[in-house]
Amino acid sequence: MTQTTQDADGRVAVGLLGLGTVGSGTITLLRRSAAEIERRCGARIEVRRALVRDLRRARSADAEAVPLTLEPKDILEDPQIQIVVELMGGLEPARTYVEAALCAGKHVVTANKALIAKHGSALFRVADEHGVTLSFEAAVGGGIPIIKTLRESLASNRIDQVIGIVNGTSNYILTEMAQGDASFETALAQAQALGYAEADPTFDVEGIDAAHKLSILAAIAFGAPITFDAVYTEGISHLTAVDIRFAHELGYRIKHLAIAIRHHEGIELRVHPTLVPAHRLMANVAGVMNAVFVRGDAIGEALLYGAGAGAAATASAVVADITDVMRVIEAEPRYRVPHLGFRAGAIEPQPLLPVSEVVTAYYLRLAVIDHPGALAEITRALADAGVSIESLRQLPPSEEGVATLVLLTHGVKEAQLDAALARIGQLDVVRERITRLRLHQFDE
Ligand code: NAP
Ligand code: HSE
């Protein structure tokens, strides 16, 4: 275990793995806030080197000043470097490098949610074995201090709900589409140009990034292991402008929500587009902004809001983690906050509720042949499955005699809705695929 501190000149040496959007933002912020950091921690940070793939790639003016290397060992085996900041992304070689850094007794700060969601448990064990920390505030919610809040500030609470908009790219696209002036493809291209999207934007638009983040939040909120593979995941790529418009007309906004709810019988973990009443704060989180709603037995309801992606906001969290590490670098490991907020031995597997058991309300859109009895057949199938209709709207039929039906249901178990839709899908009067979106009122 290393317990080195600052050098004779009062500097702590840091090595960066990656110098892209977040890496460059981190360098800029470290430079700008050097005096503040020294006032807070009593030491200065020296970025000794950054690992990149391409030495010839153009960098920002601040990043240009950082010595570059193509050799991971120049950072992982440099005895002067005490803190390694992983901002490469992806699982490999990031996992191998992070593990090597921890084994070498270096503290690690990362913004890599995929890495923490998939390999966090194993890496936390390695960090504990070597008496170092693996910090990951930037992995969820960009600049929002949600990890520290759940892990430390709300430590007195039994938390039963964490529900958030946690992917800036999806929220940016949905906002642009809802305002009616951009297609899905144009909005995604803008989010990429602004540095919000993952290297593979499928992670953003198919909900995988939000699922990574939800699995991390749920583990910290409930003291459970990280279970990324158990998250029910739907993205926004199948959403149409038609449903965004109908939702508006009904008094809702469509948001991509990540939902973790603890019930007596188990935990539900799901990520999907969701109708949210337009008057709720969550419905009004726009653009790249993220928000995380937390419900605890002592605090009641709390909402954290802020920029969820982008160089500066993410760097805010990365640099905060670096300053935290600088403060605890000399502390006995047992006095540090555990990685997931609960002692490693106290993290308990908890039953997971399959999505078929989840109770929620729904928005349904159907294309139906406009002839007598059609509506009755549909409402009978819903009633037989125990699905109660909250409201129903029928739009005038097209020239071909096909009418659009938009229904909102009361809360019902997903398995019951599936049974009703399977029967409705067989009816001769129903044309096209049925659109089904979940709805969350934020009042349970
Ligand atoms: P990025 O712009 O693509 O930067 C990645 C950097 O890592 C580049 O400098 C790249 O080198 C380097 N790199 C990648 N693979 C490498 C390899 N195999 N060997 C050496 N260097 C390698 O990515 P980013 O947007 O900064 O994201 C970095 C991490 O932060 C990801 O885990 C991401 O999920 C997370 N994050 C991003 C945001 C955001 O808003 N962008 C927010 C929160 C968290 P070159 O420069 O030579 O190509
Ligand atoms: N691609 C991610 C997003 C970056 O859009 O939210 C922040 O984690």
Side-chain angles (χ1 to χ4, degrees):
M1 176 181 68
T2 55
Q3 281 204 2
T4 43
T5 54
Q6 64 222 50
D7 66 13
D9 298 326
R11 288 174 307 197
V12 171
V14 168
L16 256 59
L17 304 175
L19 191 58
T21 301
V22 182
S24 303
T26 299
I27 295 297
T28 297
L29 186 57
L30 282 173
R31 200 173 153 210
R32 201 169 68 213
S33 55
E36 283 293 296
I37 292 171
E38 190 168 1
R39 284 178 65 212
R40 290 177 195 274
C41 306
R44 277 177 292 134
I45 295 168
E46 182 205 2
V47 178
R48 278 175 76 91
R49 210 165 285 116
L51 175 76
V52 296
R53 272 178 308 207
D54 180 357
L55 294 175
R56 285 169 308 178
R57 185 178 157 186
R59 314 267 161 202
S60 67
D62 289 329
E64 284 290 345
V66 178
L68 302 181
T69 179
L70 296 173
E71 284 298 330
K73 70 173 170 45
D74 290 347
I75 290 169
L76 302 173
E77 295 177 17
D78 180 341
Q80 301 299 317
I81 290 178
Q82 295 164 263
I83 305 175
V84 170
V85 183
E86 187 276 303
L87 303 171
M88 298 164 51
L91 293 180
E92 287 295 350
R95 190 202 62 80
T96 302
Y97 296 169
V98 166
E99 184 171 352
L102 296 169
C103 289
K106 299 180 192 305
H107 299 268
V108 174
V109 170
T110 182
N112 190 336
K113 45 277 161 117
L115 181 72
I116 297 296
K118 286 276 198 181
H119 300 301
S121 306
L123 291 171
F124 296 145
R125 260 195 310 277
V126 175
D128 288 341
E129 282 162 16
H130 292 84
V132 288
T133 56
L134 171 55
S135 307
F136 54 97
E137 182 65 68
V140 186
I144 304 175
I146 184 63
I147 301 295
K148 205 176 187 81
T149 300
L150 286 174
R151 198 167 58 180
E152 300 176 43
S153 314
L154 296 178
S156 57
N157 283 259
R158 179 178 166 83
I159 293 168
D160 70 350
Q161 292 193 8
V162 181
I163 303 178
I165 293 171
V166 291
N167 184 267
T169 300
S170 297
N171 203 46
Y172 182 89
I173 295 171
L174 286 179
T175 306
E176 293 290 307
M177 286 176 73
Q179 288 167 354
D181 41 17
S183 67
F184 179 93
E185 290 73 20
T186 307
L188 172 58
Q190 286 168 355
Q192 288 177 295
L194 290 162
Y196 303 154
E198 296 302 303
D200 174 0
T202 314
F203 280 65
D204 298 293
V205 299
E206 296 304 344
I208 303 160
D209 178 73
H212 286 145
K213 292 165 175 169
L214 184 70
S215 65
I216 297 169
L217 292 179
I220 298 174
F222 307 145
I226 301 174
T227 48
F228 163 69
D229 293 334
V231 180
Y232 172 82
T233 306
E234 268 181 39
I236 60 163
S237 61
H238 63 286
L239 274 182
T240 66
V242 174
D243 294 305
I244 293 174
R245 181 163 55 80
F246 282 144
H248 264 247
E249 289 172 12
L250 292 165
Y252 293 86
R253 302 287 176 267
I254 299 183
K255 290 290 168 191
H256 190 250
L257 291 192
I259 301 177
I261 302 180
R262 169 153 59 173
H263 303 275
H264 179 67
E265 317 81 59
I267 294 171
E268 57 177 272
L269 295 175
R270 51 194 171 102
V271 161
H272 50 68
T274 313
L275 273 75
V276 179
H279 65 277
R280 294 282 178 201
L281 287 170
M282 195 64 85
N284 295 285
V285 174
V288 73
M289 303 310 276
N290 281 191
V292 184
F293 166 92
V294 183
R295 197 173 77 173
D297 59 350
I299 191 170
E301 296 179 352
L303 187 76
L304 283 86
Y305 169 85
T314 311
S316 165
V318 171
V319 174
D321 269 352
I322 296 173
T323 56
D324 257 3
V325 172
M326 287 165 70
R327 288 183 174 126
V328 301
I329 217 159
E330 285 173 279
E332 274 286 318
R334 67 197 160 105
Y335 296 130
R336 296 181 191 142
V337 180
H339 290 104
L340 292 177
F342 291 75
R343 287 181 301 109
I347 290 175
E348 293 168 354
Q350 296 173 30
L352 289 156
L353 222 52
V355 74
S356 57
E357 291 297 302
V358 166
V359 174
T360 186
Y362 291 88
Y363 158 102
L364 304 174
R365 178 169 59 82
L366 300 88
V368 179
I369 302 213
D370 188 32
H371 78 59
L375 192 56
E377 285 188 69
I378 289 162
T379 54
R380 193 174 313 118
L382 289 167
D384 287 352
V387 182
S388 163
I389 297 169
E390 202 253 346
S391 72
L392 187 153
R393 186 171 162 213
Q394 180 169 351
L395 280 86
S398 64
E399 281 176 9
E400 295 77 41
V402 178
T404 299
L405 273 187
V406 177
L407 291 99
L408 299 184
T409 77
H410 288 291
V412 64
K413 213 176 254 191
E414 180 127 347
Q416 287 171 261
L417 188 87
D418 285 345
L421 293 189
R423 186 166 144 197
I424 292 170
Q426 302 291 317
L427 297 175
D428 290 339
V429 292
V430 173
R431 294 293 146 97
E432 300 175 11
R433 233 182 96 245
I434 302 167
T435 299
R436 165 248 293 267
L437 295 168
R438 299 171 186 84
L439 188 155
H440 193 80
Q441 297 282 5
F442 282 93
D443 60 1
E444 304 101 60

